[in-house]
Amino acid sequence: LGCAVQCDRKEEFIEQIKQMDITTQTAIVAHIQEITHNQENVFDLQWMELSEVTAEDLETLSRSMVFHLKRLLDDRDEYSEMIVDLTQDRDYLQMQQLLPSPVNCSSPDCPTGSPNGKLDKGEKQQHLAVDLADTK
């Protein structure tokens, strides 16, 4: 949102926002203000246009860059974990839909791993975790 209202095409984005209902507009404005008014949410790239940067400014910029990079890495890790969890849940549910019901599971082709022939969620997650580790 901050980029949208601070970029060259900001008028286009603002017009699209104005076409939304008032509740949505209010929520978007609140988020834009949160982003633009809190300097921890903004990394100023204007320093790249400067011909000379003082040592003091360079130190401030470096600290800010490290802060933002750490935050990005933390966000990446958090979202990666969330993706893995959601993928495991999706795969588990898909597997449950494909497996025969325990009542009808008397053939030798039924999966094993639990008393009723189904893999339980913990076993499935362990299997997916091993696959993920192999992929990494």
Side-chain angles (χ1 to χ4, degrees):
L1 290 173
C3 294
V5 297
Q6 293 178 350
C7 72
D8 295 336
R9 297 176 35 209
K10 67 182 174 185
E11 289 80 18
E12 293 175 45
F13 291 110
I14 291 171
E15 284 304 315
Q16 290 177 359
I17 291 170
K18 286 181 180 178
Q19 294 174 6
M20 298 175 180
D21 64 86
I22 297 297
T23 306
T24 305
Q25 286 184 38
T26 304
I28 289 174
V29 168
H31 286 293
I32 290 171
Q33 288 175 345
E34 178 185 332
I35 291 167
T36 57
H37 293 336
N38 184 349
Q39 289 304 309
E40 289 183 354
N41 292 328
V42 179
F43 184 67
D44 188 3
L45 297 176
Q46 291 179 349
W47 65 270
M48 293 173 35
E49 298 171 5
L50 300 175
S51 59
E52 290 185 29
V53 180
T54 65
E56 183 179 307
D57 288 341
L58 187 59
E59 183 177 343
T60 302
L61 289 168
S62 297
R63 288 181 190 276
S64 177
M65 188 177 300
V66 166
F67 170 80
H68 286 283
L69 285 173
K70 182 179 179 339
R71 194 162 138 199
L72 283 172
L73 292 173
D74 290 344
D75 288 348
R76 179 207 59 193
D77 293 344
E78 177 184 338
Y79 293 132
S80 293
E81 288 178 21
M82 187 182 305
I83 289 169
V84 167
D85 289 343
L86 290 171
T87 301
Q88 288 177 343
D89 289 346
R90 182 206 61 205
D91 292 348
Y92 174 75
L93 291 172
Q94 286 176 344
M95 185 177 183
Q96 292 302 308
Q97 291 175 348
L98 296 175
L99 291 175
S101 68
V103 174
N104 300 330
C105 191
S106 59
S107 75
D109 295 333
C110 290
T112 58
S114 66
N116 65 5
K118 291 187 178 183
L119 294 175
D120 66 15
K121 187 174 181 180
E123 291 171 326
K124 177 64 177 164
Q125 285 182 340
Q126 182 179 5
H127 177 69
L128 290 172
V130 170
D131 286 345
L132 179 63
D134 288 343
T135 303
K136 285 183 179 179

mmCIF file of all heavy atoms in Angstrom, residues 79 119 126:
data_model
loop_
_atom_site.group_PDB
_atom_site.id
_atom_site.type_symbol
_atom_site.label_atom_id
_atom_site.label_comp_id
_atom_site.label_asym_id
_atom_site.label_seq_id
_atom_site.Cartn_x
_atom_site.Cartn_y
_atom_site.Cartn_z
ATOM 1 N N TYR A 79 6.502 -16.976 7.191
ATOM 2 C CA TYR A 79 5.605 -17.345 6.101
ATOM 3 C C TYR A 79 5.976 -18.709 5.511
ATOM 4 O O TYR A 79 5.095 -19.457 5.082
ATOM 5 C CB TYR A 79 5.576 -16.267 5.022
ATOM 6 C CG TYR A 79 4.950 -14.972 5.515
ATOM 7 C CD1 TYR A 79 5.560 -13.754 5.293
ATOM 8 C CD2 TYR A 79 3.757 -14.977 6.226
ATOM 9 C CE1 TYR A 79 4.998 -12.576 5.750
ATOM 10 C CE2 TYR A 79 3.193 -13.809 6.692
ATOM 11 C CZ TYR A 79 3.805 -12.609 6.450
ATOM 12 O OH TYR A 79 3.251 -11.448 6.911
ATOM 13 N N LEU A 119 -2.746 -43.698 7.527
ATOM 14 C CA LEU A 119 -1.654 -42.960 8.143
ATOM 15 C C LEU A 119 -2.271 -41.867 8.994
ATOM 16 O O LEU A 119 -3.167 -41.166 8.543
ATOM 17 C CB LEU A 119 -0.775 -42.320 7.062
ATOM 18 C CG LEU A 119 -0.004 -43.266 6.145
ATOM 19 C CD1 LEU A 119 0.707 -42.463 5.060
ATOM 20 C CD2 LEU A 119 0.996 -44.068 6.936
ATOM 21 N N GLN A 126 5.346 -36.150 9.509
ATOM 22 C CA GLN A 126 6.732 -36.591 9.596
ATOM 23 C C GLN A 126 7.253 -36.923 8.208
ATOM 24 O O GLN A 126 8.362 -36.565 7.844
ATOM 25 C CB GLN A 126 6.857 -37.790 10.525
ATOM 26 C CG GLN A 126 8.292 -38.258 10.691
ATOM 27 C CD GLN A 126 8.393 -39.448 11.638
ATOM 28 O OE1 GLN A 126 7.393 -39.969 12.094
ATOM 29 N NE2 GLN A 126 9.601 -39.867 11.914
#
